[in-house]
């Protein structure tokens, strides 16, 4: 609507209506300083200000990570062990290994279970009572505070085996990963066109054959997106590892033998431990570890985004 | 049989599934069903496991555990009222701040304020905020947020110290920095779920409002928000649930001090932070009471999250009508 047309329309309307007899046609032209327009303009300005203000923390976090973490970034960080109290130097190689091992073990537990149950939810009994109960419990698990996953793993693994260990941490992470895998995989499988499946049934396939040869391959990008999201989230989790995997200043693999049943370091717990220390060296390492952790999480998230984009 | 040649098996004719096919089908279906049942059992097992370990604590300390304010391992006095209060108070503050910015962000991203290019920038910002691990936010809070708000906090204490909200100095960690960081962490949740709610409002509703000559904000405040209200309320409840269970940022920023306080600047405690800080060194007796505290946290978050889910379900149904 260009402003010049409105008064013309208004004039013609005013001419059509006989003067006097309730012909109060409000002005359709909007002056910029009219009360309503002014209010709208101010609110728009406020929305801009709020959106920019909400972006400030992200900019600040990224800036600090690059400046303080980047200053310390060096290859040695990936090869050396965490320093004790007054030691200088050091790195967090064992923490990276620990994070990868525990996230990997967590995925090994959660991905098969998650995909199997989403096969049931999407294909075998989508409208059954069991399915709605499973959906409900998956959604409830999504909201489970991560520390309670740690409490659960502490009760079921640490108290039973009598030691803090990588599998205990991995179980806690698996509990947090499962609901994401289940819910995203179900969504992905529901996207598979009905006619494709019907064509396979028409050729005499069993339901499992349809699932293995049609549903799973077609929905694979979507499933992987969910798995990647779960991995990214798990890699950054700290609370569930605090008292399941604890921390360690030694390598998980020594003399070529991986000993899982011992306290295990992780990047997240290292950041937490070092952030409270009164030593400048440890705090620098905490920033560097944060930078590495954020880069790992962002890398996995971006991969998941790229996979998601290829979806049919 | 040209269709079969297309399928890459020239010359063969499809037969009925063999006995092995039938067996594999049965086995796989049973396996998938078992996987589904496992998810169900997992939730039940978590509830049972935490409840079972909390039982000795519940037996010994009973209901008084929830109303007592001391936590003294040496003398065996345990109470979590300050932690419950701190959990609710910090989450409420975070919800007020993060909820406001989250909803404004959702309006900003869905109501055609931005050209597509710029819209991608802000969308990515919100997604990145969600991707940063909470321990990194904690570290950032210690070294950036606390020093940044200290001058303002000192000024408020010096000039308005008679208001209980500003009734103490900010000595370092405290409720306000913890709640601010918590607000940043729930903003993406609130923004994402509110955006979905706003997008579900049919386009013709907005067109009808504009057609009646409303300004953009009259349409937003008078039509869009009321129509999406249930969904946005659900988003806030889910954000609150997220804040209640958040651990690391709080354990690093709230100061871990067992006191009942209204002051924004005083240190406090939350249930999740209590668990995080005490579990690693707990003896068997303390483990029992910590399990009890975990059960309380589990109860609170379950109620809030299930309520949030139910509100979202209602919101989805009402808009589709």
């Amino acid at each position: 609507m260009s402003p010049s047309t409105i008064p013309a329309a208004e004039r013609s309307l005013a001419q059509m209506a006989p003067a006097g007899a309730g012909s109060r046609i409000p002005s359709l032209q909007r002056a910029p300083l009219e009360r309503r327009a002014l209010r709208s303009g101010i609110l728009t300005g406020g929305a801009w200000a709020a959106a920019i203000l909400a972006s400030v923390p992200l900019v600040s976090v990224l800036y600090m990570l690059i400046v303080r973490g980047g200053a310390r970034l060096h290859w040695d960080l990936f090869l050396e062990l965490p320093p004790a109290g007054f030691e200088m130097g050091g790195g967090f190689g064992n923490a990276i290994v620990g994070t990868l091992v525990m996230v990997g073990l967590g995925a090994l537990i959660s991905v098969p279970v998650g995909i199997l149950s989403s096969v049931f939810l999407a294909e075998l009994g989508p409208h059954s009572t069991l399915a709605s109960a499973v959906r409900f419990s998956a959604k409830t698990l999504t909201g489970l505070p991560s520390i309670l996953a740690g409490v659960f793993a502490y009760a079921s693994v640490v108290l039973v085996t009598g030691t803090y260990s990588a599998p205990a941490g991995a179980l806690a992470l698996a509990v947090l990963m499962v609901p994401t895998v289940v819910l995203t995989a179900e969504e992905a499988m529901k996207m598979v066109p009905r006619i494709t499946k019907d064509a396979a049934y028409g050729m005499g396939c069993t339901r499992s054959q349809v699932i293995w040869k049609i549903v799973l391959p077609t929905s694979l990008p979507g499933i992987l997106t969910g798995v990647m999201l779960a991995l990214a989230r798990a890699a950054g989790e700290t609370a569930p590892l605090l008292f399941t995997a604890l921390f360690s200043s030694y390598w998980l693999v020594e003399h070529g033998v991986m000993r899982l049943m011992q306290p295990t370091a992780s990047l997240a717990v290292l950041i937490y431990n070092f952030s409270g220390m009164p030593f400048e060296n440890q705090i620098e390492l905490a920033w560097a570890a944060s930078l590495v952790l954020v880069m790992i999480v962002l890398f996995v998230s971006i991969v998941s985004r790229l996979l998601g984009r290829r979806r049919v | 049989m040209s269709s079969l040649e297309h399928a890459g098996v020239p010359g063969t004719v499809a037969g009925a599934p063999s006995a092995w096919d039938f067996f594999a089908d049965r086995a796989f279906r049973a396996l998938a069903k078992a996987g589904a049942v496992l998810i169900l059992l997992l939730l039940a097992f978590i509830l049972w496991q935490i409840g079972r370990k909390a039982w000795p604590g519940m037996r010994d300390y009973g209901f008084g555990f929830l109303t007592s304010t001391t936590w003294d391992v040496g003398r065996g006095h345990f109470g979590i009222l300050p932690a419950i209060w701190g959990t609710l108070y910090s989450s409420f503050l975070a919800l007020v701040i993060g909820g406001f910015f989250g909803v404004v962000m959702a309006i900003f991203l869905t109501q055609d304020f931005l050209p597509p290019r710029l819209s991608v920038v802000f969308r990515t910002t919100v997604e990145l905020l969600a991707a940063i691990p909470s321990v990194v936010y904690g570290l950032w809070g210690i070294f950036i947020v606390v020093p940044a708000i200290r001058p303002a906090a000192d000024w408020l204490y010096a000039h308005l110290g008679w208001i209980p909200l500003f009734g103490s100095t900010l000595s370092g960690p405290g409720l306000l920095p913890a709640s601010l960081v918590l607000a940043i962490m729930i903003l993406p949740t609130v923004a994402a779920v509110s955006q979905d709610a706003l997008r579900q409002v049919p386009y013709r509703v907005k067109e009808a409002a504009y057609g009646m000559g409303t300004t953009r904000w009259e349409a937003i405040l008078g039509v869009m928000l009321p129509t999406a209200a249930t969904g946005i309320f659900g988003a806030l409840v889910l954000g609150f649930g997220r804040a209640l269970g958040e651990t690391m940022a709080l354990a690093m920023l709230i100061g871990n001090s067992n006191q009942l306080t209204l002051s924004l600047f005083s240190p406090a405690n939350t249930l999740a932070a209590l668990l995080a800080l005490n579990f690693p060194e707990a003896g068997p007796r303390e483990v029992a009471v910590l399990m009890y505290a975990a059960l309380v946290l589990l109860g609170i978050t379950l109620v809030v999250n299930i309520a949030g889910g139910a509100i979202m379900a209602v919101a989805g149904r009402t808009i589709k009508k």
Side-chain angles (χ1 to χ4, degrees), chain A residues 1-26:
Chain A
M1 275 195 284
S2 75
S4 64
T5 62
I6 299 169
E10 194 184 337
R11 227 176 298 130
S12 65
L13 276 170
Q15 279 163 2
M16 279 193 303
S23 70
R24 293 250 219 90
I25 296 169

Side-chain angles (χ1 to χ4, degrees), chain B residues 132-311:
Chain B
I132 289 176
S134 68
V135 69
V136 175
Y137 277 122
L139 185 70
W140 175 75
I142 293 175
F143 290 99
I144 302 293
V145 176
V146 172
I149 64 173
R150 189 174 284 157
D154 288 345
W155 188 88
L156 282 171
Y157 172 66
H159 292 81
L160 297 167
W162 48 273
I163 301 174
L165 275 183
F166 311 125
S168 62
T169 54
L170 184 74
S171 57
L175 258 170
L176 186 62
S179 303
L180 281 176
V181 173
L182 203 51
I184 297 167
M185 299 178 66
I186 65 168
L187 189 153
T189 311
V190 176
V193 185
S194 307
Q195 275 187 62
D196 289 344
L198 285 166
R199 287 219 183 86
Q200 279 185 350
V201 179
Y203 198 73
R204 60 176 191 275
V205 172
K206 190 174 11 176
E207 279 179 333
Y210 282 150
M212 292 179 74
T214 62
T215 62
R216 178 187 273 169
W217 278 94
E218 282 166 350
I220 292 170
L221 298 175
V223 177
M224 299 303 289
L225 283 186
T227 315
T230 324
I232 292 175
F233 182 59
L236 293 174
V237 174
L238 289 179
F240 189 63
R242 168 107 208 265
L244 290 172
E246 180 45 53
T247 313
M248 291 323 294
L250 289 163
M252 293 162 87
L253 284 168
I254 205 157
N256 191 36
S257 146
N258 263 314
Q259 50 177 315
L260 277 172
T261 174
L262 262 181
S263 170
L264 295 176
F265 308 137
S266 102
N269 209 348
T270 73
L271 286 169
L274 181 84
L275 296 174
L277 292 160
N278 292 310
F279 243 115
E281 284 130 32
R285 190 187 176 89
E286 206 182 352
V287 165
V289 289
L290 286 172
M291 286 289 181
Y292 190 1
L295 193 65
V296 173
L297 177 61
L298 183 64
I300 297 176
T301 49
L302 277 190
V303 168
V304 171
N305 279 318
I306 291 172
I311 294 167

